[in-house]
Amino acid sequence: MEYGQFKSLFSMKDPVMIKDGRLLLPLREIGDILGLKVHWNQPQQRASLYGVNLELTLQLGSDVVYLNKKQKKLKTSAEVINGKLYIPLRFVAEAVNEDVKWNSNTKTLSVGSNYVVGTDKGITFWLNRKNGEFYQAIGNKVPSFIGTLEQGRGVEASSSPTTVRQQFVRPTIRGRRDVRIR
């Protein structure tokens, strides 16, 4: 599997499953690939994924999901395999506007990745690689917009995935004034 703009390889910890012609991955791995926070509610047997403009909730054993509080039906239901919740990758990827492509010749799955995600002291931050929009969420909440990194500042990357050059510059964030980058 490869993901992101530089087609970085993603090592799968668990096997990929195919059910009804759909690719199922463990919920946590989908969260890692797409830059989403994963929350499991054990008493209610309910899983949630949180990301920029996304709140997806599903009940174990059901083919119904709630995408931004609207009910949707999965074409292939989620299921537990070896103690892990597997869900259809394409459904979640399309919910966050990411491309999913399968190359049958090389047996390679490619998934887009628009956001860089980081967590510190219970706060999760998302940075949109394309437009510099910056979001944050505290706990298990949908992220809120907090500003935009100015163009020409922050992280620069070369066009080659093997020679990524990062230039860390103190970015200027336009928007909320209580955000500091060190």
Side-chain angles (χ1 to χ4, degrees):
M1 174 177 275
E2 57 187 25
Y3 74 102
Q5 75 185 91
F6 297 122
K7 306 295 184 213
S8 301
L9 291 179
F10 184 85
S11 299
M12 301 296 295
K13 297 173 190 147
D14 295 293
V16 172
M17 300 297 195
I18 297 176
K19 179 181 173 189
D20 302 327
R22 306 258 186 261
L23 197 67
L24 303 178
L25 295 178
L27 183 72
R28 292 232 180 253
E29 291 196 39
I30 289 177
D32 290 345
I33 292 165
L34 296 173
L36 303 171
K37 270 181 79 171
V38 176
H39 176 71
W40 173 250
N41 183 322
Q42 180 63 32
Q44 295 180 354
Q45 298 286 289
R46 182 180 303 149
S48 299
L49 289 165
Y50 299 94
V52 175
N53 300 317
L54 175 85
E55 180 181 12
L56 187 140
T57 304
L58 61 111
Q59 188 76 36
L60 187 61
S62 175
D63 62 353
V64 172
V65 299
Y66 290 89
L67 178 59
N68 297 330
K69 303 195 191 278
K70 294 180 183 168
Q71 186 174 322
K72 303 275 183 181
K73 189 169 172 105
L74 293 172
K75 293 179 182 174
T76 301
S77 62
E79 66 179 81
V80 175
I81 301 169
N82 295 328
K84 299 199 177 182
L85 181 61
Y86 276 72
I87 63 173
L89 171 64
R90 184 173 298 277
F91 180 85
V92 180
E94 289 176 353
V96 293
N97 297 316
E98 297 290 0
D99 291 326
V100 177
K101 295 178 182 158
W102 172 252
N103 183 328
S104 58
N105 294 332
T106 62
K107 306 261 190 270
T108 304
L109 178 68
S110 294
V111 181
S113 178
N114 289 325
Y115 290 91
V116 176
V117 180
T119 301
D120 185 39
K121 298 178 185 171
I123 302 173
T124 304
F125 298 93
W126 285 262
L127 174 64
N128 187 309
R129 298 172 200 250
K130 294 179 181 177
N131 62 20
E133 290 180 346
F134 203 46
Y135 296 81
Q136 79 172 10
I138 299 170
N140 296 315
K141 304 288 182 199
V142 174
S144 58
F145 176 77
I146 58 173
T148 302
L149 293 180
E150 275 189 9
Q151 189 174 7
R153 295 193 176 253
V155 179
E156 289 182 6
S158 69
S159 59
S160 168
T162 56
T163 59
V164 173
R165 179 178 60 100
Q166 294 184 337
Q167 176 186 359
F168 294 98
V169 177
R170 188 179 198 110
T172 302
I173 298 178
R174 295 180 186 247
R176 288 184 33 183
R177 299 209 182 273
D178 60 341
V179 176
R180 290 186 205 159
I181 304 283
R182 295 181 193 209

